[in-house]
Amino acid sequence: MNVHNFNISYQTYEHINELSVEDKLLCMRAEDALKTSYSPYSKFKVGTAIQLADGEIVLGSNQENVAYPSGLCAERVAFFAIGSSKPNAVVKAMAITAFTESFDIKNPVTSCGACLQVMAEFEQKQKSPITVIFYCLNGQIMKVEGIRSLLPFVFVEDRLAGIT
Ligand code: THU
């Protein structure tokens, strides 16, 4: 038997003011995106702001449905909007935040596995990593360079081709 370890590195910040001007703006835009969240079932709003290489910032929010699985997370709403409107766009960075009136969110809300897989597909397509900032309005902020750090055993194209 062999035991393997991953060395995953990420940054944490205690306050939004510790971030660069660009990162701070992205976090504030993610907060703006919360306003369009349609989440009557979970009452848990998620907002994201995605920075493209051409300077545009695309917003997304979670969109729920009475048939629960028909709803979609904020991250995938935004990524699929980019994919369908600007198929050659390059994603540089994104910020994600969440809000609920039910309790205080004290830690950054990290993305679900399905959203990470979609982000990984964009990285693979554009051949460059995406910076992800999980912005907690009343707590720590977490910043990661590249989806591999969040999804180390990501399903990649090579598997379909039998390369790895
Ligand atoms: N949600 C997101 O928007 N992004 C995630 O990565 C995880 C969860 C949404 C889906 C649902 O509308 C609500 O949060 C509660 O799960």
Side-chain angles (χ1 to χ4, degrees):
M1 185 199 66
N2 297 309
V3 176
H4 304 264
N5 293 295
F6 278 114
N7 184 9
I8 289 172
S9 116
Y10 60 95
Q11 300 162 14
T12 55
Y13 302 84
E14 300 308 315
H15 197 273
I16 189 169
N17 288 338
E18 290 175 40
L19 299 177
S20 68
V21 176
E22 295 79 24
D23 289 355
K24 208 167 160 177
L25 174 70
L26 216 47
C27 289
M28 288 159 69
R29 299 293 283 133
E31 212 179 329
D32 284 344
L34 291 172
K35 291 182 200 141
T36 61
S37 165
Y38 177 67
S39 42
Y41 306 104
S42 71
K43 299 191 169 29
F44 192 82
K45 296 173 192 273
V46 183
T48 187
I50 301 184
Q51 172 84 66
L52 304 182
D54 66 8
E56 190 185 344
I57 294 178
V58 176
L59 305 187
S61 58
N62 55 332
Q63 300 296 315
E64 297 185 351
N65 191 280
V66 63
Y68 290 7
S70 301
L72 201 60
C73 294
E75 297 91 320
R76 277 177 290 162
V77 165
F79 271 102
F80 293 152
I82 293 165
S84 55
S85 61
K86 295 183 111 183
N88 299 318
V90 172
V91 172
K92 302 284 279 185
M94 65 188 292
I96 301 141
T97 195
F99 177 79
T100 178
E101 282 177 3
S102 310
F103 55 88
D104 276 344
I105 301 176
K106 297 203 178 85
N107 291 298
V109 172
T110 47
S111 301
C112 77
C115 288
L116 294 178
Q117 185 68 43
V118 168
M119 295 175 200
E121 184 81 16
F122 267 74
E123 280 193 340
Q124 178 270 321
K125 188 171 71 159
Q126 69 187 33
K127 298 188 177 19
S128 62
I130 299 170
T131 300
V132 187
I133 303 163
F134 297 109
Y135 171 43
C136 183
L137 300 169
N138 296 306
Q140 230 174 31
I141 298 161
M142 184 179 162
K143 181 173 171 177
V144 185
E145 308 289 349
I147 310 306
R148 284 275 175 157
S149 294
L150 293 162
L151 194 62
F153 285 108
V154 62
F155 184 82
V156 283
E157 201 186 12
D158 295 359
R159 305 280 160 81
L160 283 184
I163 298 166
T164 58

